[in-house]
């Protein structure tokens, strides 16, 4: 499925934001039962970061902005780090 996601990488309070159009596997009903945590860790988390946090506090955030094939994803947010 195709989706648009906003990635916000935060390093010591400094935000780096960019949007990406991605082709990812569609979550299954089991993924939704598990609140999408494993799906997001498998498919979104590896796309976070931009190499600026090698020795800094970091937080990684992803918000789903658009997804025609799975509209229930739109507005979902995922976070890792701080």
């Amino acid at each position: 499925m195709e989706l648009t996601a906003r990635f916000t990488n935060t390093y010591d309070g400094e935000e780096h934001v960019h949007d990406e159009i991605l082709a990812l596997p569609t979550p299954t009903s089991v993924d939704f039962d598990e609140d999408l945590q494993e799906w997001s860790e498998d498919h979104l988390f590896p796309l976070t970061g931009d190499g600026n946090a090698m020795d800094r506090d970091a937080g990684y955030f992803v918000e789903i902005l658009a997804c025609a094939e799975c509209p229930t994803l739109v507005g979902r947010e995922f976070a890792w780090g701080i």
Side-chain angles (χ1 to χ4, degrees):
M1 76 178 165
E2 183 175 285
L3 62 81
T4 303
R6 173 161 293 147
F7 290 84
T8 304
N9 303 309
T10 306
Y11 308 111
D12 291 335
E14 178 184 311
E15 289 187 352
H16 299 253
V17 179
H18 69 281
D19 296 347
E20 286 191 39
I21 296 172
L22 306 168
L24 298 176
T26 303
T28 66
S29 59
V30 171
D31 294 321
F32 279 97
D33 289 344
E34 296 175 0
D35 202 28
L36 296 172
Q37 192 60 37
E38 189 172 325
W39 178 86
S40 69
E41 289 174 4
D42 289 346
H43 302 291
L44 296 174
F45 180 69
L47 304 173
T48 63
D50 57 16
N52 288 309
M54 303 309 283
D55 60 351
R56 299 165 68 183
D57 289 332
Y60 306 101
F61 307 89
V62 179
E63 178 184 2
I64 307 301
L65 302 176
C67 184
E69 292 175 56
C70 191
T72 56
L73 282 176
V74 177
R76 296 260 186 161
E77 297 180 6
F78 305 94
W80 302 271
I82 318 176

